[in-house]
Amino acid sequence: MIKRYLVSFAGYFFIYASNIISIPLIINLSSESNYGEYVLLISYLGILVALSPLGLGFKSKREMPSSTSIDERSNIFYPQFYANILSVIILGYFFNAFFYFFSSSLFDEPIELDAPLLVIYGVLFVIYTQIGHIFKFYEKIVSYNLLGILNPLFFLILVIITYHFKKELNLEALIYAQIFSLCINILIFSYSAYRIVGFKLVFYKKLDFLWDIRVGFPLLLVVLIEIIISSSDRFIIGYYLESNKVSYYTVAYSIASLMLVVPKLFSISLEPRLMKLVDNESFTEASSLVSYSYNLFFLIAIPLMAGAFMYGELVLTLFLNADFAKESYVSLRILILGMLFYGQSIFMFCILSALIKTKKLLFLNSITAFVNLILNLLIFYVYQDILVAAITSLVSYLLLFLMTRFYVLGIFKFKIYTKEFFKVVLAVSITSICLLNLNFEFNENDILEFSINFFLFIFIYLISLVLFRSFIVKTIYNWIFK
């Protein structure tokens, strides 16, 4: 699994880096307000593409890892694919009409977009994600990661080309860049997907449709609820404050979400592998796999959290500018603590999915979303500040983690906090104390200051782990030099 995790890590790193690079690029080529409006529109479109499956597709994902022939994979893939395309077209026109109803409340100025633009984006994104599902659940990890890497990369290239010729970058140009990027990726990867599932005009049978709805609809709501948790605060900020405040919060959230790279990329390999192990009743091996994944997560997540607390403002200054950093760095510290809890929950979501406990997933996420939304609405009504959104996110993610952990440990035994966890915490503590006492500061050169502190942090941290005889570090070392 280490090889799969490393491939996924490399892929997700490039995806994350491309998305992070796009933030200062868009802001510098347009404005903070324009980027804030783009975030709101993409979040709105995210709800469209999340809602479009209507719960269909779980059967395809769940049975794909164990399927043995193209014909079998065609029969389970295409019914939900056609239903998804039809659904996103219908919902797309509804979302397009509703967009103009509420846009005046969220955006600083009236927004004008071509009528079918949201529908086209929705259809293309559905096809793109369906290709991703084929690669993921057929366990073609390299193809899956390439698909994810090239989309934001082409988007960046198209943004630069658009600005070069038009000398401006508005909201419509950004959406067109997204659309053309999706088109290029679909053209590149369609044949590889075809070789896995073939092509067939096959539609749902009544019993299969009802089973998919019954089991998959809770997962649909889970996805929507996750979007509510991660995006509702941005809509509330956009409603009460200016669009540039959305930018400040989004930047802090984007950098904090670096911690989620590990659990999300692990889930690419972990989820289908857990499904196979559960089908084979290999629960001991499944438990060991989950515990090992947690140890790898802590190995990266805890030093990231310490780094954000110590150098968050410096990173934001380098990333954008000192004024932007002043607006965002406190939110960054709060959000990254919340991401530590949310990252741990993601592994448990994989367990519940493998055990087909979709209704419980829905219940746990529903409570979290409700608490998050109510807290945001109540507190923002009295006090308008982006710190409110950061604090409510922290509270929500902590609540989700505690509830999910309590339930999952009741039906699936595994260890989260092993000796490895405490070795990592101790190593990070020693590293932080050393660097705070050394206190390297270069008032005239922020890049030099960050570079020296960054490399010293990694060096002292790794030396500490070696001295503590970290099992994870030893395992990775043996795998690399085997």
Side-chain angles (χ1 to χ4, degrees), residues 295 415-425 468 470:
N295 287 328
K415 291 183 179 180
I416 297 179
Y417 306 115
T418 62
K419 289 181 181 180
E420 287 298 310
F421 169 77
F422 295 105
K423 288 179 182 179
V424 168
V425 171
F468 295 145
S470 168

Side-chain angles (χ1 to χ4, degrees), residues 93-373:
Y93 280 103
F94 172 79
F95 268 63
N96 187 73
F98 190 69
F99 172 75
Y100 294 99
F101 175 76
F102 81 91
S103 61
S104 59
S105 301
L106 292 177
F107 299 115
D108 296 339
E109 297 178 0
I111 302 296
E112 293 185 5
L113 297 173
D114 292 340
L117 202 60
L118 304 188
V119 180
I120 294 170
Y121 175 88
V123 171
L124 291 173
F125 196 87
V126 164
I127 297 172
Y128 170 79
T129 54
Q130 289 281 321
I131 293 173
H133 290 155
I134 293 171
F135 292 153
K136 176 181 177 180
F137 291 96
Y138 191 64
E139 299 192 77
K140 287 183 69 78
I141 301 302
V142 174
S143 297
Y144 178 85
N145 283 283
L146 280 175
L147 179 71
I149 290 169
L150 292 180
N151 189 49
L153 181 61
F154 286 138
F155 170 72
L156 285 176
I157 294 171
L158 289 166
V159 165
I160 294 170
I161 292 173
T162 300
Y163 183 79
H164 176 75
F165 286 103
K166 297 184 67 175
K167 304 302 179 185
E168 65 174 355
L169 196 65
N170 56 25
L171 189 60
E172 188 173 30
L174 290 171
I175 296 301
Y176 272 115
Q178 285 281 7
I179 287 174
F180 284 118
S181 177
L182 290 170
C183 287
I184 295 170
N185 275 276
I186 290 169
L187 289 173
I188 292 173
F189 291 98
S190 290
Y191 180 69
S192 295
Y194 165 77
R195 293 187 63 183
I196 297 171
V197 297
F199 177 76
K200 192 179 271 191
L201 287 173
V202 56
F203 303 98
Y204 268 115
K205 296 177 182 178
K206 182 179 179 181
L207 291 179
D208 289 338
F209 177 82
L210 293 175
W211 189 92
D212 230 4
I213 284 287
R214 178 174 58 84
V215 178
F217 190 71
L219 283 180
L220 166 68
L221 297 180
V222 167
V223 172
L224 288 174
I225 288 165
E226 288 177 352
I227 292 174
I228 290 173
I229 297 172
S230 62
S231 301
S232 62
D233 42 17
R234 299 172 193 183
F235 289 109
I236 293 172
I237 291 170
Y239 181 81
Y240 281 104
L241 303 171
E242 296 82 13
S243 296
N244 63 339
K245 299 293 184 182
V246 179
S247 294
Y248 298 143
Y249 180 78
T250 301
V251 168
Y253 192 97
S254 298
I255 294 177
S257 64
L258 174 63
M259 186 176 288
L260 299 182
V261 168
V262 176
K264 286 187 175 181
L265 70 88
F266 283 8
S267 68
I268 296 169
S269 299
L270 181 63
E271 190 173 8
R273 183 57 58 88
L274 281 177
M275 290 175 176
K276 279 187 175 181
L277 292 173
V278 169
D279 289 344
N280 295 329
E281 298 185 358
S282 303
F283 295 107
T284 302
E285 186 179 347
S287 176
S288 299
L289 182 59
V290 173
S291 296
Y292 186 73
S293 300
Y294 266 106
N295 287 328
L296 285 172
F297 170 58
F298 291 133
L299 188 72
I300 299 173
I302 294 175
L304 272 178
M305 186 174 66
F309 274 84
M310 295 169 63
Y311 307 114
E313 187 173 5
L314 177 61
V315 169
L316 286 167
T317 301
L318 290 172
F319 186 52
L320 289 160
N321 54 62
D323 293 334
F324 212 107
K326 186 178 179 181
E327 295 282 349
S328 298
Y329 84 95
V330 178
S331 296
L332 171 62
R333 291 177 174 179
I334 297 170
L335 286 167
I336 202 161
L337 182 57
M339 297 301 174
L340 181 65
F341 295 115
Y342 186 51
Q344 295 177 69
S345 301
I346 290 173
F347 289 114
M348 291 183 279
F349 294 166
C350 292
I351 297 171
L352 292 175
S353 181
L355 296 173
I356 319 183
K357 299 291 184 180
T358 54
K359 290 182 180 179
K360 184 57 66 173
L361 261 175
L362 171 61
F363 174 75
L364 295 169
N365 281 274
S366 297
I367 294 176
T368 306
F370 178 77
V371 170
N372 179 268
L373 189 58

Side-chain angles (χ1 to χ4, degrees), residues 8-42:
S8 296
F9 182 82
Y12 215 97
F13 173 80
F14 283 108
I15 295 169
Y16 183 85
S18 299
N19 290 329
I20 286 293
I21 292 170
S22 69
I23 296 174
L25 179 68
I26 294 172
I27 290 173
N28 290 327
L29 295 183
S30 54
S31 66
E32 295 172 2
S33 296
N34 189 55
Y35 177 72
E37 291 174 345
Y38 169 71
V39 168
L40 292 172
L41 180 56
I42 286 296

